[in-house]
Amino acid sequence: MGLDFAVVPEYLDRLLLGSAWTIGITLAAAALSFFGGILFAVIALYAPAVIRWPFKTFAWLFMGTPLLLQLFLIYFGLIQIGIDLPAVVAGIIGLGLHFAVYNSDIIQAGIRAVDKGQYEAGRTLGLSQAQTIRKIIVPQAVRAVVPPIGNNMIALLKDSALVSVIGVTELTLSSQLAISKTFRPFEFYLAAAACYYVINLALEAGLHRIERRIQVAR
Amino acid sequence: MTDQPFVDIRHAAKSYGSLEVLHDISLRVNKGEIVAIIGPSGSGKSTLLRAINDLDPLTSGEVWLEDTQVNEALPYRLYEKHINKVRQDIGMVFQHFNLFPHLTVRGNITLAPKMLKGISDAEANILAEEQLDRVGLLERIDYYPSQLSGGQKQRVAIARALAMKPKVMLFDEATSALDPELVEEVNLVMKQLAEEHMTMIIVTHEMKFAESVCDRVVFMDGGYVVEEGSPDVVFRNPVHERTRNFLRKHLQG
């Protein structure tokens, strides 16, 4: 049985729709992981111990367990305690929180690297601690850590394939559905891989632009 | 000069564990007065200056600005509110400028007034232009700090502090990090402030500047005020041996 890519165009619309879902889920989870990462970093560095320690434990759990298991917990587990999330939402939350924890580590390092004089300058002008963190420290820290966060976002795009197992018809599941109808796994997995690759190129180009803009603004 | 001191440091003491860096220092500064604090490194002069806005809190003693005790003992939340208010009246200029690199010159100057004084963008812009004009850098308003020379950065830092309309300005070795040829432009701005009768407390290594601009000179060594008086007395006829030794090293040429 040879390869026959002629079957792919017939399912192209589904692959493209799947790609659109993958892009949407990735962007939503990326936004969640970015702002969540900032929030987590600020909590980890500045919050009182009663908030910081439970939070850190939670972060360790998120880093130390498989993302797939976390998706199962959020989608199937939460139903048992009455939280019934649509699969897409569960997927975005799972991906977003998982990568927020990783982003938080990077942003914490960025915050620590901001010169102490920046904090002092803010406070001497009369800004509160929170205002200084928000307007002076975090913007500088985030600028410094855009490249490593960008790498995380590329990993997030690829890991978004995992949400196929909780039934979100994104790119991976779309190709699997096509395979189940045509029995042509090689062709469709390659087609899906090509789609991921193209999306990744676009994502990298976007990240590059952000990096360049931030470089100028310094 | 009025009878009531403007800035009043009463029995200031500070120690890190068993290391005492300030020993029972009292210093009164009148409105419009310009006081230089000189002394060798490690003498406690910067620590004393940074105690005035409670950036380096004292172990004991009081700091007053007019009728307000700056370092009033309050519960954390109340203290935060109190100190943020008081600090709006105390401008500070640092050795390393500490401009915000992610903001333009305009952004550096308008950030705090916009957040703390509730002024509009338009008013903030006018304020920034006024203050930049004062330090002669109006044409640099849309530059980023990285595009400025050291002297220009420090002048922007002064404009940023002035934009809060402070009652007193603290200078912590404002020209020590500058290349020699850039010192003069910052000194000129400080002289101009002196002529406008801004109350200033200046920690400096520049004896000539202190002599020509300041009303009073305080010489510190080892956490003590060794000698204080008019520049004429402290620089020309110091009473204490330690002052003489220090000045011999710093007043050459």
Side-chain angles (χ1 to χ4, degrees):
Chain A
M1 187 171 167
L3 294 180
D4 179 14
F5 283 97
V7 296
V8 174
E10 201 183 323
Y11 290 87
L12 195 61
D13 54 339
R14 290 181 211 192
L15 289 182
L16 289 179
L17 187 63
S19 297
W21 276 107
T22 290
I23 293 168
I25 290 164
T26 300
L27 290 180
L32 180 61
S33 77
F34 178 72
F35 294 108
I38 292 173
L39 180 69
F40 292 173
V42 169
I43 291 174
L45 289 176
Y46 299 105
V50 282
I51 300 171
R52 196 167 68 237
W53 284 104
F55 165 77
K56 281 195 165 180
T57 312
F58 161 83
W60 283 325
L61 285 175
F62 254 86
M63 277 186 136
T65 57
L67 174 56
L68 185 59
L69 191 80
Q70 292 161 19
L71 290 171
F72 285 154
L73 269 173
I74 293 170
Y75 186 55
F76 299 115
L78 287 184
I79 295 176
Q80 280 178 271
I81 55 168
I83 303 171
D84 188 1
L85 296 169
V88 177
V89 176
I92 289 169
I93 291 174
L95 281 168
L97 287 182
H98 186 83
F99 280 91
V101 172
Y102 281 97
N103 285 347
S104 154
D105 255 24
I106 294 170
I107 294 168
Q108 280 179 53
I111 288 175
R112 284 199 202 93
V114 174
D115 186 72
K116 189 169 125 274
Q118 293 290 314
Y119 182 79
E120 289 185 349
R123 295 307 308 274
T124 12
L125 286 166
L127 298 179
S128 69
Q129 186 193 34
Q131 288 170 325
T132 306
I133 292 168
R134 189 156 49 91
K135 290 287 183 177
I136 296 168
I137 307 297
V138 164
Q140 288 184 54
V142 167
R143 274 170 174 76
V145 298
V146 161
I149 287 182
N151 291 341
N152 268 355
M153 296 305 94
I154 287 165
L156 189 155
L157 166 65
K158 291 183 285 184
D159 283 356
S160 72
L162 286 172
V163 303
S164 62
V165 298
I166 56 171
V168 181
T169 321
E170 40 66 78
L171 184 50
T172 300
L173 189 53
S174 300
S175 57
Q176 280 170 344
L177 293 176
I179 291 162
S180 66
K181 295 219 171 82
T182 59
F183 304 104
R184 294 255 166 213
F186 201 76
E187 289 87 338
F188 279 100
Y189 282 140
L190 272 182
C195 290
Y196 275 113
Y197 187 70
V198 170
I199 298 170
N200 223 329
L201 285 179
L203 179 61
E204 271 180 73
L207 289 167
H208 216 77
R209 278 187 68 160
I210 294 173
E211 272 174 51
R212 263 219 319 275
R213 269 191 58 185
I214 283 164
Q215 292 296 319
V216 172
R218 286 223 250 187
Chain B
M1 281 182 198
T2 51
D3 289 318
Q4 209 212 345
F6 203 58
V7 177
D8 192 3
I9 302 170
R10 301 176 190 166
H11 305 291
K14 184 173 178 70
S15 49
Y16 297 105
S18 61
L19 178 72
E20 286 188 55
V21 290
L22 296 176
H23 304 264
D24 189 28
I25 291 177
S26 292
L27 179 69
R28 314 174 106 196
V29 177
N30 293 314
K31 190 172 172 139
E33 200 180 13
I34 297 150
V35 175
I37 306 177
I38 61 169
S41 357
S43 59
K45 55 192 194 302
S46 277
T47 309
L48 180 66
L49 190 78
R50 289 161 59 89
I52 294 174
N53 60 4
D54 215 28
L55 209 53
D56 265 350
L58 295 171
T59 311
S60 67
E62 295 176 1
V63 179
W64 289 75
L65 174 65
E66 291 186 297
D67 300 326
T68 312
Q69 187 184 345
V70 176
N71 62 343
E72 199 180 346
L74 291 167
Y76 178 74
R77 272 171 201 289
L78 286 175
Y79 165 80
E80 279 288 304
K81 273 191 119 143
H82 159 80
I83 197 71
N84 293 337
K85 194 100 192 74
V86 175
R87 280 176 178 157
Q88 294 186 32
D89 291 332
I90 308 176
M92 188 165 202
V93 176
F94 299 88
Q95 182 177 357
H96 296 289
F97 331 126
N98 298 351
L99 290 181
F100 308 133
H102 61 300
L103 300 175
T104 60
V105 167
R106 186 198 305 272
N108 267 274
I109 297 174
T110 56
L111 177 71
K114 278 205 283 200
M115 292 189 79
L116 301 173
K117 303 207 159 162
I119 62 173
S120 69
D121 282 8
E123 287 169 311
N125 273 332
I126 293 169
L127 181 66
E129 284 163 15
E130 279 170 7
Q131 299 309 324
L132 272 179
D133 199 28
R134 224 166 147 184
V135 300
L137 283 173
L138 186 52
E139 77 283 1
R140 294 283 192 269
I141 191 161
D142 289 317
Y143 283 50
Y144 280 93
S146 61
Q147 299 167 301
L148 303 176
S149 72
Q152 291 171 337
K153 282 182 195 169
Q154 195 59 296
R155 283 149 72 195
V156 171
I158 293 171
R160 178 176 70 180
L162 291 174
M164 292 303 290
K165 308 275 164 78
K167 294 175 178 167
V168 53
M169 286 282 284
L170 311 177
F171 292 86
D172 191 3
E173 302 195 23
T175 55
S176 297
L178 295 175
D179 292 337
E181 72 268 25
L182 301 177
V183 168
E184 197 47 36
E185 62 182 80
V186 175
N187 280 347
L188 277 174
V189 169
M190 290 167 71
K191 268 184 195 152
Q192 184 192 319
L193 286 180
E195 281 156 19
E196 294 167 15
H197 304 291
M198 171 65 80
T199 309
M200 298 200 274
I201 304 173
I202 301 169
V203 166
T204 185
H205 283 125
E206 300 236 7
M207 301 306 146
K208 289 219 174 87
F209 177 77
E211 189 172 1
S212 64
V213 172
C214 298
D215 302 311
R216 192 146 51 101
V217 176
V218 175
F219 172 67
M220 286 182 68
D221 193 12
Y224 293 92
V225 170
V226 176
E227 185 150 358
E228 75 173 281
S230 71
D232 254 10
V233 173
V234 175
F235 286 123
R236 301 294 156 209
N237 293 301
V239 178
H240 292 271
E241 183 61 30
R242 275 198 284 180
T243 320
R244 278 198 289 269
N245 280 336
F246 174 77
L247 289 174
R248 203 173 305 131
K249 284 182 219 149
H250 283 83
L251 268 184
Q252 319 243 314

